[in-house]
Amino acid sequence: MDILLWLVPSAVITVLAMAWVAFLGREGREEDREEVVRRLGIALEKTKTRERSKKYAAPQPPPDRSTGLAVRVNRDAS
């Protein structure tokens, strides 16, 4: 147990840093709820229009018709 005592200072500093950042992060975060909902609606509309207009430059490859068996090509018969 004595071997792990060197971890105590770093653990205390880490916990204090997390508490300090959490405290500083909560100040000044008051936003108008209607403004947040409006921005969310705009962002959702953008994703809907992107999904509808999604075009691919290259055609989609055909699906793999693998049967699970490896078949060797007989090159001696040519």
Side-chain angles (χ1 to χ4, degrees), residues 41-62:
I42 291 171
L44 289 175
E45 284 298 319
K46 285 182 182 178
T47 58
K48 285 181 184 177
T49 57
R50 262 191 241 143
E51 289 174 0
R52 277 189 246 137
S53 66
K54 191 179 281 187
K55 305 248 191 261
Y56 294 99
Q60 293 291 332

Side-chain angles (χ1 to χ4, degrees), residues 1-16:
M1 188 68 183
D2 292 337
I3 296 173
L4 296 178
L5 286 179
W6 64 273
L7 288 174
V8 172
S10 60
V12 169
I13 290 171
T14 302
V15 169
L16 289 175

